[in-house]
Structure formats: structure tokens, C-alpha cells
Amino acid sequence: MTMTIVDRDQAVAALDEAFDAIVELAEGLAPDDWDRPTACPGWSVKDVVSHVIGVEAMLLGRPTPQVTLPDDLPHVRNDMGRVNEQWVESYRPRPPADVVADLEAVIAERRAALAGMDQAAFAAASSTPAGTDTYGRFMRIRVMDIWVHEQDIREATGRPGHLEGLAPAAAIDEVAAVIGYVVGKRAGAPAGSSVRFELTGPLSRRIDVEVTDRARLVDSIGGQPTVTLTVLGVHFMRLVGGRGADPAAVATEGDARLGRAVVAQLGFMI
């Protein structure tokens, strides 16, 4: 198994930025913002903030709150989803001020914990949402998750922003690292084909994938891509997150059938 080595200092800097952004956003929410629905099924703005608290609390070793959940919640699809929902449910009766205070406190503790970790700790094997990999990879996934949830809140409350910086760049890095799986396994791109993603706007990036025995992220495609998919970077990330973004906003040049297959499989985040 190939382990992902992530630079500790870069990952911590991106996490710090993600932490700062979501705390600042939560602190500035109006009273009527907290109950607004988000693009995350079943979750309000307060639920999204509570989820971020819950994951960071679990990383500190805190136990999952023992709350009873219905068995038929449509947005809970697996055991991890039920754990996440238990944290969310535990905060639903509490006022926004408590949620903000707990967010600030848990992030302060996480910053202290991360400050005590060196590059060797970030290179150590860890259980992650993507399977066994390094702790550094897990932290890059955390940056992506926090930043995507920050965008959920911004969209729900009409506060666009934070489309440039270390955190959004790290979020796209994580997506790029797994995009070969989307192209090869999920979309079934055939051997000999290639897919180029041209992300435009503030989150601009070129992501190239070539398919040989398997689909791989490459620095550059040799020759003309089989299909080029051009889309605003922020829209691409909403598609990846399964946030109900319109696939029609993706411009396709080349093999339209392959392009449709790839776009249809972009929503891989859990």
C-alpha cells in the first residue's frame, strides 16, 4: 500500500486557516441563520457546525454522546453517519451561543494537540475516512471537510467567500488525489482514454487523469485529452460534495459520452 506523505507544516497551516474561517463565520451568524437548511440533507446551519465540533472532539478522544436516534433517517447511510448524527442531535436543544463556545473550545484544544505533533507523527499510519493511510492524509481530508461545510453555511446564509487560500487549495489537492478512482472505477473510463478537468474562477486548477491499467493523476496529458471538462472550481467542488449542483454547468469538449459518465459520478464525498 502506498502511503500519502503530507507536509506537516503545510497541513497545519491549512487547518489553521480552515479553523479560523469557520469560527469567524459562526461567530457572525444572525439568530435566524442557525435554523436555515443547508445542502446537507437533514442538516441546518447549526447541525453543520455541530458536526464539525463532533469530529474534532472525536479526534481529541472524546466519547460519542449517547442519544437515541430514529432508525429510518434517510440521510444516515452507515455507522459513521449514525455517529455523526448523534453529535448533531446532542446539540439540537442547545442555543447557538453554546454551539459557538464549544466550537471555539474544541478548536483551541485541537490546535494545541497539533502543535505537539511533528512530521513523523503526520507520516504515521492512521485510520482515515479513505481507509488506512497517514495521519497527514487524514488532516488534509479534515481541511477539505471543514472547508466544504464552511461553504455549505455560506451558501445557506448568503455569505459567499473564502475561495482563495491554503484551505481551499488543500481541499482541491485531496479531490485531485482520488479523482483517478472516480474516472476509472466509478465512471469506467476505458484504457487509453484521458480526462482533463479545467477548473476556472477563484479555484482555478488543471487536473489531468490518464487511464492505462488503472486511472492515474498525471502532471500533464500527452497529446489531446479524450475529454475536457471545464467548470467553475466552486461548482466542481459542489458536484464532488454531492451538493445538488447542476451538471449542465460543466462544458464538455471531446468524448461527450465519457464526459457525461464522469460528471454523473463526481459526487463521491460521504
Side-chain angles (χ1 to χ4, degrees):
M1 176 186 295
T2 302
M3 302 292 275
T4 307
I5 301 302
V6 174
D7 182 87
R8 180 261 178 211
D9 292 346
Q10 291 180 4
V12 170
L15 270 168
D16 278 338
E17 182 181 293
F19 287 155
D20 286 344
I22 199 161
V23 167
E24 181 180 1
L25 184 59
E27 289 173 341
L29 292 174
D32 60 351
D33 285 331
W34 288 90
D35 291 327
R36 296 187 190 278
T38 71
C40 295
W43 283 2
S44 67
V45 167
K46 185 165 80 169
D47 295 338
V48 169
V49 177
S50 301
H51 165 62
V52 173
I53 295 171
V55 177
E56 297 304 317
M58 286 189 289
L59 286 167
L60 291 168
R62 297 180 188 173
T64 303
Q66 296 303 300
V67 296
T68 302
L69 299 176
D71 293 328
D72 58 348
L73 292 172
H75 60 283
V76 176
R77 302 174 184 174
N78 51 40
D79 290 342
M80 191 66 242
R82 290 192 69 80
V83 170
N84 289 336
E85 194 68 18
Q86 284 177 288
W87 280 99
V88 168
E89 181 62 31
S90 73
Y91 277 98
R92 285 191 172 125
R94 299 176 62 182
D98 285 0
V99 179
V100 172
D102 280 8
L103 178 69
E104 294 168 340
V106 77
I107 284 178
E109 288 189 47
R110 283 285 292 137
R111 289 189 203 270
L114 289 163
M117 301 181 73
D118 59 12
Q119 183 62 48
F122 269 61
S126 173
S127 177
T128 85
T132 301
D133 207 324
T134 61
Y135 188 81
R137 170 80 187 284
F138 194 178
M139 292 305 97
R140 191 172 70 187
I141 294 172
R142 287 304 305 137
V143 175
M144 179 179 70
D145 187 64
I146 294 168
W147 179 80
V148 167
H149 284 311
E150 176 201 335
Q151 295 303 310
D152 290 332
I153 296 169
R154 289 185 181 281
E155 181 182 55
T157 62
R159 291 172 169 82
H162 197 196
L163 298 180
E164 295 179 301
L166 298 174
I172 296 178
D173 286 344
E174 177 56 32
V175 171
V178 299
I179 203 69
Y181 168 78
V182 174
V183 170
K185 291 291 187 181
R186 289 174 60 100
S193 64
S194 58
V195 178
R196 170 167 289 166
F197 298 88
E198 287 282 9
L199 310 187
T200 62
L203 299 178
S204 62
R205 181 82 66 93
R206 172 175 286 180
I207 302 172
D208 282 349
V209 177
E210 287 186 340
V211 186
T212 51
D213 58 317
R214 63 182 181 88
R216 292 181 173 86
L217 179 71
V218 295
D219 291 335
S220 182
I221 291 170
Q224 192 69 16
T226 305
V227 62
T228 298
L229 303 171
T230 302
V231 59
L232 280 169
V234 66
H235 195 89
F236 172 78
M237 294 300 289
R238 301 304 283 175
L239 286 167
V240 165
R243 265 42 179 192
D246 185 2
V250 182
T252 302
E253 181 181 352
D255 188 330
R257 183 176 180 180
L258 177 58
R260 286 193 298 271
V262 171
V263 172
Q265 295 299 326
L266 279 177
F268 67 87
M269 282 181 64
I270 59 173

